[in-house]
Amino acid sequence: MSKPSIVYDMFSSPMGTLYLIFSGRSLAGISFSKPGRTAYRKNSAPKTFTKELLDYFQGADKGFTQKIIFLEGTDFEKKVWSSLNDIPFGETRTYKWVADKIGNPAASRAAGQALSKNPIPIVLPCHRVIESDGSIGGYSSGVNIKRKLLDLEYYSKMDKK
């Protein structure tokens, strides 16, 4: 069986252009910068997924149903990334919470390092992880984008109350 080709599509978001990377029918990445690999070819993302992204950026807290795949990452990193699905829309958790969630309470710093490599931000919401003291912490695509994503979710949730 041949390996699925890697393709990408562009999605215009309030945070700027997102590059949606697919392996076969599975989402393998979301990037804020154009994929550097020339082997990637341009193709259309599934309409169901782009609709979910549109809904998300309009404040819907329905979550994502798009199948994902990790093309890289250690078992530890994959556990950390998968734990992010348990953080509700409009809420935050700490790096310590992530470490506890994966059963490794002493690994807060390592969890933070794994989060910085999250290949599928937004869908796997690493932007919802903050420091224990309440400060925003880092974000691989920049703290300003993290702050905008948190604001979008927070104010969308407040609007619904």
Side-chain angles (χ1 to χ4, degrees), residues 38-156:
T38 55
Y40 292 176
R41 63 180 176 79
K42 178 102 170 57
N43 200 353
S44 295
K47 297 281 183 239
T48 53
F49 179 57
T50 56
K51 169 79 170 91
E52 288 178 345
L53 277 174
L54 278 171
D55 290 347
Y56 171 80
F57 284 112
Q58 292 171 355
D61 61 356
K62 296 182 247 179
F64 295 95
T65 60
Q66 174 63 49
K67 184 179 175 198
I68 64 171
I69 187 171
F70 297 125
L71 299 178
E72 297 177 355
T74 66
D75 289 343
F76 176 83
E77 289 168 339
K78 291 173 185 177
K79 266 174 101 169
V80 168
W81 300 333
S82 295
S83 76
L84 299 171
N85 287 315
D86 294 332
I87 307 174
F89 180 92
E91 296 183 22
T92 57
R93 299 293 186 267
T94 64
Y95 295 100
K96 172 144 183 35
W97 178 91
V98 172
D100 289 343
K101 183 78 178 164
I102 64 166
N104 199 338
S108 296
R109 192 171 298 225
Q113 288 298 312
L115 291 173
S116 73
K117 299 175 186 175
N118 176 9
I120 312 174
I122 301 171
V123 171
L124 298 177
C126 55
H127 62 277
R128 296 179 189 157
V129 181
I130 61 171
E131 300 281 349
S132 293
D133 66 4
S135 61
I136 197 161
Y139 193 65
S140 61
S141 298
V143 174
N144 287 339
I145 289 176
K146 181 175 185 173
R147 191 171 282 115
K148 286 179 185 178
L149 290 168
L150 290 171
D151 286 349
L152 176 139
E153 291 184 15
Y154 175 81
Y155 290 113
S156 293

Side-chain angles (χ1 to χ4, degrees), residues 4-30:
S5 62
I6 307 291
V7 298
Y8 76 94
D9 196 3
M10 295 182 290
F11 178 85
S12 184
S13 85
M15 309 300 142
T17 300
L18 298 178
Y19 294 88
L20 313 175
I21 303 162
F22 284 84
S23 175
R25 296 175 186 249
S26 298
L27 179 66
I30 295 179

